Amino acid sequence: MNDELKLEQDWLWIPLPAEIDHFQVEQIRQKIKEKMQEAYVKYIVFDFQNTNLMDSSGIGLIAGRYRELAVRGGQVYVSNVSDNMKKVLSFSGLYRIVTPWEQVVVDEATEMELKE
Amino acid sequence: MGNTNEMLVEFEAIGENESLARIVVAAFVSKVNPTLEELGDIKVAVSEAVTNAIIHGYEGNGGTIQMRIALDGHKLTIVITDKGKGIPDVEKAMEPLFTTKPEEERSGMGFSFMEAFTNELMVESKPGEGTRITMVKMMGEQDGSDN
Ligand SMILES: Nc1ncnc2c1ncn2[C@@H]1O[C@H](COP(=O)(O)OP(=O)(O)OP(=O)(O)O)[C@@H](O)[C@H]1O
Ligand SMILES: [Mg+2]
């Protein structure tokens, strides 16, 4: 499994671990901090592909990055969210501030079709 | 099933033990065949209580956390105790989004998760003495062994 953060221009892609708790969040937060010093990040994608548990520490991490990016006109996306994880994300109200990545891809495709 | 079982564990209040506590609970309840959803819920609830003991109770300075797990048929009871600084106003602390550590990016959702993901939640605390969290959840009433 490749768990390295990927930086591309002002996009930061963050693969999340299997279980996101306070202990894991401390490490991820540090890695994000380092990457965000390397470049002026405006967009972050949190990838839940390998994740099957997240507690409120993860909510705090994502909401924190949202606050950081919102002031610079950026955005936070979540990707590959399983049904299991959807429950936690919905309950926390996080969907009010983050966008499912898959939705963006679908929307863009429809937009292209409409233009054609 | 009239079976009962009980176990008591004590561990250091350090971040690594958050996952350990979840694993212990998951293993303990496996014999009543909980559904994946029940298992996910109880793991999150345990994670919240243990994390709170570590970062709020002991404020990251370490200490001992005690976890008692009991199964009476399908009724799971988990009691998580710390001898940390305690909570001055429990009712206030349990309000959604209330946190005393916003600067550490806490969202104040821990108690809300514990409440939503279990059937019963009881919080007892005394400033200077510590905090005891009791959670009850019905597990495996509908056999989850197929998933
Ligand atoms: N074991 C404890 N000892 C002392 N204080 C506690 C304990 N558990 C909770 N608290 C207090 O109750 C508040 C609310 O707890 P809760 O878990 O709901 O939110 P949080 O831990 O601040 O944020 P989050 O859980 O979303 O990361 C905490 O901010 C803290 O002040
Ligand atoms: Mg908490």
Side-chain angles (χ1 to χ4, degrees):
Chain A
M1 180 191 120
N2 179 11
D3 63 350
E4 282 308 301
L5 281 70
K6 264 203 311 241
L7 188 62
E8 232 174 276
Q9 291 167 340
D10 51 2
W11 284 80
L12 182 58
W13 180 77
I14 304 166
L16 295 167
E19 302 200 321
I20 310 169
D21 57 14
H22 153 250
F23 180 67
Q24 291 291 336
V25 161
E26 302 270 281
Q27 341 233 333
I28 305 165
R29 185 178 284 120
Q30 190 51 39
K31 286 188 195 167
I32 295 176
K33 216 178 192 169
E34 284 164 18
K35 286 285 178 207
M36 290 190 67
Q37 274 158 5
E38 270 176 46
Y40 186 77
V41 174
K42 268 182 83 174
Y43 307 98
I44 286 179
V45 184
F46 285 103
D47 189 349
F48 285 79
Q49 169 105 58
N50 300 306
T51 304
N52 50 55
L53 180 141
M54 179 164 83
D55 69 14
S56 63
S57 307
I59 305 297
L61 173 80
I62 296 173
R65 298 297 67 69
Y66 167 79
R67 281 192 293 272
E68 199 172 354
L69 296 190
V71 294
R72 39 175 94 163
Q75 209 159 344
V76 174
Y77 301 94
V78 292
S79 175
N80 294 309
V81 180
S82 68
D83 288 345
N84 216 353
M85 287 294 93
K86 241 168 227 155
K87 188 176 173 183
V88 172
L89 288 183
S90 305
F91 179 77
S92 69
L94 215 58
Y95 278 123
R96 284 195 292 265
I97 56 173
V98 303
T99 313
W101 177 244
E102 289 72 18
Q103 190 55 48
V104 177
V105 179
V106 171
D107 286 351
E108 270 175 13
T110 344
E111 218 168 86
M112 299 253 272
E113 268 168 35
L114 290 175
K115 272 182 197 157
E116 274 166 16
Chain B
M1 211 196 297
N3 282 351
T4 60
N5 193 11
E6 190 171 333
M7 105 184 250
L8 183 67
V9 278
E10 265 186 12
F11 49 88
E12 268 290 293
I14 49 172
E16 285 100 315
N17 286 338
E18 292 159 8
S19 61
L20 188 76
R22 294 193 298 267
I23 292 167
V24 167
V25 169
F28 185 82
V29 297
S30 65
K31 75 160 188 172
V32 294
N33 294 324
T35 63
L36 279 182
E37 187 172 13
E38 288 166 346
L39 211 50
D41 288 356
I42 199 66
K43 281 164 95 176
V44 169
V46 166
S47 211
E48 297 297 351
V50 171
T51 302
N52 279 353
I54 296 172
I55 64 176
H56 301 299
Y58 293 117
E59 299 198 285
N61 300 317
T64 304
I65 297 172
Q66 193 190 74
M67 181 166 75
R68 194 172 71 82
I69 326 171
L71 206 46
D72 181 0
H74 289 279
K75 185 180 171 192
L76 171 71
T77 305
I78 302 180
V79 184
I80 294 172
T81 312
D82 68 66
K83 293 191 163 62
K85 70 169 191 180
I87 306 172
D89 185 344
V90 170
E91 211 177 308
K92 179 110 204 132
M94 290 178 76
E95 279 173 19
L97 306 182
F98 176 85
T99 179
T100 47
K101 290 197 188 300
E103 74 287 353
E104 288 180 19
E105 294 193 343
R106 310 310 310 178
S107 58
M109 297 228 43
F111 280 129
S112 305
F113 275 32
M114 287 181 245
E115 210 156 29
F117 292 174
T118 63
N119 298 114
E120 270 172 57
L121 168 67
M122 192 168 66
V123 182
E124 299 158 279
S125 191
K126 251 200 189 137
E129 286 183 28
T131 301
R132 179 164 67 205
I133 307 293
T134 305
M135 298 184 282
V136 178
K137 187 172 175 67
M138 298 309 294
M139 304 288 289
E141 282 185 301
Q142 271 148 8
D143 198 327
S145 57
D146 298 341
N147 58 32

